[in-house]
Amino acid sequence: MSNMFCFQCEQTAGGKGCTNVGVCGKKPEVANKQDELTGALIGLARATNGKSGGKEADELVMQGLFTTVTNVSFDGDRVDETKELIWKEKAKHGDGQDYDAASLWAGDTDIVSLRSTLLLGMRGMAAYAWHAYVLGKEDKDVTEWFYKGLKALGEDHTVDEWLGLLMEFGNINLKCMALLDDANTSAYGHPVPAKVTTNVEKGPFIVVSGHDLLDLKHLLEQTEGKGINIYTHGEMLPAHGYPELKKYSHLKGNFGTAWQNQQKEFDGIPAPILFTTNCLMTPRASYSDRVYTTSVVAFPALTHIPDGANGVKDFTPVINKALELGGWSEDKHFTGINGGSTLMTGFARNTVLGVADKVIDAVKAGAIKHFFLVGGCDGAKPGRNYYTDFVQQAPKETVILTLACGKFRFNDLDIGEIGGLPRIMDMGQCNDAYSAIQVAVALAGAFNCSVNELPLTLVLSWYEQKAVCILLTLLALGIKNIYIGPSLPAFLSSNVLGVLVEKFGLKPISTPEEDLKAILG
């Protein structure tokens, strides 16, 4: 009998599932506790009959689902603490039997596939909903759907009913992404194009990883005037485009590349690293004493920054560690994986639609012949050089829209401009797929056609559950012929995959040469 079972991320063992220990480093006991946590959440949804249980319950549902996202929590004690809070909350609403955790992955292969896809998508949406929630934004329909979806996970459904739930979820996740877009732009303004250095100045500094912009803002406020520079890492790069964040002069640049390179890039770094969300890897001894976690992120023996009573966390331990370590004694020059030392970001929907007339004219004149959205999660599994090669080989009359950390495969490349616009446009974090959707809808309206009729192809890389919820949203919108890689999800059974291929034209990537030829003719 296996010690655990997990197949929710792209690098899962053998492309089938982790059974002895997680490839991410998660121990069996933690993985099993997270399954039990999921069972408790289903029990809570049963107790509330699939309806919101109120503020405390809503928070626990979002945090509980978020906790189980890959590379978020490795601390079994903290998982247990959350589960016990859910039990107490459930007791307020009556009898809601927990779902047997072992049943999550047991039964008919296709049903397990459909049930798992819904669960994993909900985990991704919970992350987005939580980021909006801490900024004071909530959508009743989104919150209610967590309960509906959780209750459905513990019930029997036909294949058609599961497929219907997945499409319904995809539409709800679009509302969630719109909610987070509104939360971020209301708090920090609409992103504007920003040129970001990969160099690090001498002196004390802090590296901030993850996705939570509010944590970054509070850290910027608390370090202002203290001689400490702040550098983003991974999915935090788009922060440099927000007016209310970039106004801080000590937000200096971006350190490192995508999440899977952190153990090498953080090796012996003379500065603390703050993880606000995923993706945390097991810290090496050379820097484990300077890694800090917050929110749902947790790892045994690391210092955790708790929530503040007034909504503002106290980052004093991180600040003191930065001053103690002192940073480097001289400026350091770093580059991206292709040797570039400058990254561009800030091309969210407001920026792109602001020059829509130029884009439309360029398309009509033939200067732009095709748009590619090359984005998604990065990862360590071989085959991801495909995305670098794809961008390099894309004809000069094409534009590359990108988002999420997969862009670190190519965002330091200089592949030129078209009509004064860079050919690579970074639209932001993974949740900023909403921006890409809005741009596509606007272009379709301008050309009086459907999105599927646009000269636009989505070439996606996936790793974890946020990519799952975005894919379900794209499918729910009827967007077809999406290319996905570097490998297909282990949780998609052959029959379920067959349905997606037949109905939506979902395509596994092959080689850049073959795929470009198929797309462009």
Side-chain angles (χ1 to χ4, degrees):
M1 185 175 180
S2 62
N3 295 318
M4 61 177 281
F5 183 77
C6 183
F7 61 178
Q8 69 178 9
C9 83
E10 189 266 338
Q11 66 182 19
T12 195
K16 296 180 180 179
C18 295
T19 57
N20 295 315
V21 67
V23 172
C24 66
K26 195 167 295 176
K27 295 180 179 179
E29 53 267 31
V30 177
N32 292 331
K33 287 175 184 289
Q34 291 189 341
D35 285 349
E36 293 168 4
L37 173 61
T38 302
L41 288 169
I42 293 172
L44 174 59
R46 285 171 165 172
T48 64
N49 198 28
K51 303 292 183 181
S52 170
K55 182 177 183 294
E56 290 79 10
D58 294 348
E59 291 179 355
L60 284 170
V61 165
M62 286 184 279
Q63 289 182 316
L65 285 167
F66 194 175
T67 293
T68 59
V69 170
T70 307
N71 292 88
V72 169
S73 180
F74 298 82
D75 191 331
D77 290 341
R78 284 182 59 81
V79 174
D80 279 342
E81 288 172 10
T82 303
K83 182 176 65 177
E84 289 169 5
L85 289 173
I86 292 168
W87 282 341
K88 290 179 180 178
E89 190 61 36
K90 183 178 64 173
K92 300 177 184 178
H93 299 277
D95 183 23
Q97 185 178 3
D98 284 6
Y99 187 73
D100 179 11
S103 300
L104 286 168
W105 325 116
D108 177 81
T109 301
D110 295 332
I111 297 300
V112 170
S113 176
L114 292 162
R115 181 170 61 226
S116 301
T117 302
L118 179 59
L119 170 60
L120 303 185
M122 289 173 62
R123 288 176 174 177
M125 185 171 79
Y128 297 150
W130 183 251
H131 292 315
Y133 187 80
V134 297
L135 289 173
K137 298 287 185 177
E138 185 177 11
D139 184 300
K140 182 180 178 182
D141 292 340
V142 172
T143 303
E144 287 274 350
W145 216 95
F146 283 120
Y147 293 87
K148 176 178 181 177
L150 284 166
K151 184 171 180 287
L153 291 175
E155 300 170 339
D156 293 327
H157 298 281
T158 66
V159 169
D160 285 343
E161 287 171 342
W162 280 115
L163 288 170
L165 282 166
L166 288 173
M167 292 303 99
E168 185 180 336
F169 167 79
N171 284 313
I172 286 292
N173 186 59
L174 179 64
K175 292 193 73 172
C176 186
M177 289 195 294
L179 177 72
L180 181 53
D181 178 271
D182 177 53
N184 284 335
T185 54
S186 295
Y188 313 117
H190 283 277
V192 296
K195 186 179 292 187
V196 184
T197 181
T198 60
N199 296 327
V200 176
E201 295 181 13
K202 66 181 179 180
F205 68 100
I206 298 170
V207 175
V208 184
S209 191
H211 305 71
D212 199 298
L213 299 177
L214 183 60
D215 283 338
L216 174 61
K217 183 165 192 297
H218 288 160
L219 181 64
L220 286 167
E221 291 172 344
Q222 292 175 33
T223 51
E224 192 167 23
K226 295 185 177 179
I228 300 172
N229 291 327
I230 307 297
Y231 292 85
T232 55
H233 171 262
E235 284 269 49
M236 274 293 189
L237 169 64
H240 293 272
Y242 286 96
E244 289 302 307
L245 298 177
K246 64 182 292 149
K247 71 181 184 182
Y248 291 93
S249 60
H250 59 301
L251 178 61
K252 290 289 187 177
N254 188 79
F255 178 83
T257 53
W259 68 272
Q260 76 278 1
N261 300 318
Q262 65 186 260
Q263 290 177 324
K264 178 181 178 181
E265 293 174 345
F266 293 161
D267 188 25
I269 182 176
I273 308 107
L274 173 66
F275 278 89
T276 64
T277 63
N278 54 315
C279 291
L280 173 67
M281 297 175 72
T282 302
R284 291 181 175 173
S286 65
Y287 65 88
S288 61
D289 66 325
R290 58 206 66 182
V291 179
Y292 295 80
T293 61
T294 192
S295 187
V296 295
V297 191
F299 199 96
L302 296 187
T303 301
H304 188 80
I305 305 299
D307 293 341
N310 59 352
V312 179
K313 298 171 184 175
D314 182 1
F315 290 110
T316 298
V318 188
I319 293 169
N320 288 341
K321 178 62 75 170
L323 294 171
E324 172 194 331
L325 292 170
W328 281 295
S329 59
E330 57 185 23
D331 295 351
K332 291 285 187 177
H333 177 71
F334 296 100
T335 65
I337 66 172
N338 302 292
S341 58
T342 300
L343 311 174
M344 289 293 294
T345 192
F347 290 91
R349 61 183 175 89
N350 206 51
T351 294
V352 177
L353 294 178
V355 294
D357 54 339
K358 292 182 180 179
V359 173
I360 293 167
D361 289 344
V363 173
K364 290 179 177 178
I368 297 177
K369 293 185 177 178
H370 206 89
F371 296 89
F372 292 106
L373 174 60
V374 185
C377 313
D378 207 355
K381 199 170 179 179
R384 290 180 178 268
N385 58 312
Y386 167 95
Y387 299 94
T388 310
D389 296 341
F390 188 98
V391 169
Q392 289 178 313
Q393 293 177 30
K396 60 179 176 26
E397 301 86 7
T398 62
V399 170
I400 311 295
L401 305 175
T402 189
L403 45 81
C405 64
K407 61 177 168 266
F408 282 99
R409 293 278 169 173
F410 52 80
N411 66 344
D412 64 322
L413 289 170
D414 182 2
I415 61 171
E417 300 180 344
I418 297 179
L421 299 172
R423 283 188 56 217
I424 297 178
M425 297 187 189
D426 175 14
M427 307 191 83
Q429 297 180 340
C430 52
N431 52 280
D432 292 315
Y434 180 76
S435 272
I437 292 169
Q438 295 307 303
V439 168
V441 169
L443 289 175
F447 289 107
N448 194 29
C449 66
S450 70
V451 171
N452 287 319
E453 293 172 313
L454 286 172
L456 168 68
T457 303
L458 279 62
V459 184
L460 306 181
S461 57
W462 82 281
Y463 174 73
E464 45 86 22
Q465 296 76 68
K466 295 175 186 177
V468 177
C469 69
I470 292 171
L471 177 62
L472 290 173
T473 292
L474 295 172
L475 297 181
L477 290 171
I479 296 176
K480 297 184 176 181
N481 302 317
I482 298 171
Y483 286 75
I484 185 171
S487 60
L488 292 171
F491 54 82
L492 289 183
S493 68
S494 58
N495 288 333
V496 171
L497 177 61
V499 170
L500 298 181
V501 170
E502 179 182 358
K503 188 173 182 179
F504 300 103
L506 192 68
K507 303 176 187 293
I509 61 170
S510 57
T511 67
E513 296 82 2
E514 292 173 357
D515 291 344
L516 282 166
K517 183 178 179 181
I519 295 166
L520 300 175

